[in-house]
Amino acid sequence: MKTFYLLMALIGTIIPWALFGSFFALNGIDVPLFLRSLFVNGAAGGFSADVLISILVFLMWSWRDAAKQGVARWWLVLPASAFVGLSLALPLYLYLRERD
């Protein structure tokens, strides 16, 4: 499973950043526009809210789970979720959680 989680973390980084990259290529590094675009209509807003709430729940759960399971380097999910999203943070955490 570790290999699968690592592969999904890689895919979960590449695909979102390819899409983010095209946005920034067209609009420049305009973070306020990027954040407004997350909620540009009902569909985008609903999807964005769903993912943001899921990230918050995941971070709270993984923090507690990491303490119980003794997961080393749990903190790596914080920048992963901030700079990419749940598509990296979740498989990364599951990768870190797996015992050899």
Side-chain angles (χ1 to χ4, degrees), residues 8-63:
M8 295 314 305
L10 182 63
I11 291 169
T13 300
I14 292 169
I15 292 174
W17 270 103
L19 297 167
F20 295 155
S22 68
F23 176 88
F24 291 125
L26 289 172
N27 300 291
I29 306 296
D30 189 343
V31 176
L33 176 61
F34 179 78
L35 295 175
R36 282 193 310 274
S37 296
L38 294 174
F39 297 93
V40 71
N41 60 40
F47 188 78
S48 296
D50 178 72
V51 171
L52 292 170
I53 292 166
S54 297
I55 289 171
L56 178 62
V57 171
F58 166 71
L59 290 175
M60 293 303 296
W61 170 80
S62 62
W63 172 57

Side-chain angles (χ1 to χ4, degrees), residues 9 12-13 16-17 20 51-52 55 58 77-92:
T13 300
W17 270 103
F20 295 155
V51 171
L52 292 170
I55 289 171
F58 166 71
V77 301
L78 298 173
S81 62
F83 293 110
V84 177
L86 192 57
S87 63
L88 169 59
L90 176 58
L92 174 62

Side-chain angles (χ1 to χ4, degrees), residues 63-85:
W63 172 57
R64 297 211 34 184
D65 185 69
K68 288 180 189 174
Q69 299 295 325
V71 177
R73 298 180 306 278
W74 167 88
W75 60 270
L76 289 172
V77 301
L78 298 173
S81 62
F83 293 110
V84 177

